[in-house]
């Protein structure tokens, strides 16, 4: 709780607040570009998966995400917040032992790693 307060104070002091919504970044591929089709005929689908605890980030991060999106206009972008990550794991791995590992993981980054590996195994694509 203290760490979150310090992070918010630091973000406010550097003009990162208020947090900006990034929901507009996560749309399908542009018209005429079939979603999920490998770019350039490769084996990896042209979808980018990203995650954060919520779909709002600081000013600098939001600008960087929008720039990255423009640079990869032929890809669709999918965003998963914490509840969406949990829902994916519950629906896709309900009968698999990895679900208990995911649920019992106490370190957030390690839990995200488990989710990422499972997502890429099932759906393919890129994770950034």
């Amino acid at each position: 709780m203290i760490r979150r307060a310090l992070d918010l104070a630091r973000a406010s002091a550097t003009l990162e607040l208020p947090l900006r919504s990034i929901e507009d970044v996560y749309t399908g591929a542009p018209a005429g570009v079939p979603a999920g089709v490998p770019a350039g005929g490769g084996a990896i689908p042209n979808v980018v998966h990203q995650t954060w605890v919520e779909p709002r980030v600081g000013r600098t991060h939001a600008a960087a995400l929008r720039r990255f999106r423009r640079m990869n206009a032929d890809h669709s972008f999918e965003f998963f917040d914490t509840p969406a990550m949990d829902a994916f794991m519950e629906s896709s791995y309900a009968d698999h032992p990895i679900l208990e590992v995911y649920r019992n993981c106490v370190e957030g980054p390690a839990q995200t790693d488990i989710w990422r590996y499972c997502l890429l195994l099932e759906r393919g694509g890129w994770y950034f």
Side-chain angles (χ1 to χ4, degrees):
M1 179 115 116
I2 292 173
R3 171 170 235 163
R4 175 118 169 102
L6 290 172
D7 287 345
L8 287 174
R10 186 177 308 112
S12 181
T14 61
L15 303 176
E16 290 297 312
L17 291 179
L19 296 177
R20 275 77 170 173
S21 173
I22 53 171
E23 291 176 351
D24 62 301
V25 172
Y26 300 95
T27 60
V33 178
V37 174
I44 300 174
N46 65 343
V47 59
V48 174
H49 307 286
Q50 294 179 307
T51 187
W52 188 242
V53 294
E54 64 175 304
R56 296 181 320 137
V57 296
R59 178 183 55 86
T60 305
H61 194 167
L65 285 171
R66 287 189 177 88
R67 189 169 42 255
F68 184 68
R69 176 68 170 108
R70 285 191 305 273
M71 292 170 57
N72 296 281
D74 61 336
H75 285 60
S76 60
F77 279 62
E78 292 186 355
F79 175 80
F80 294 81
D81 59 9
T82 302
M85 289 171 49
D86 293 345
F88 169 79
M89 292 300 293
E90 294 288 338
S91 67
S92 299
Y93 290 90
D95 297 324
H96 194 283
I98 196 66
L99 180 58
E100 281 307 308
V101 175
Y102 174 83
R103 285 179 181 156
N104 293 321
C105 192
V106 295
E107 297 293 331
Q111 188 179 45
T112 301
D113 286 342
I114 294 166
W115 166 82
R116 175 177 50 243
Y117 300 141
C118 291
L119 179 74
L120 291 175
L121 177 67
E122 184 169 311
R123 296 189 183 175
W126 303 93
Y127 176 86
F128 292 95

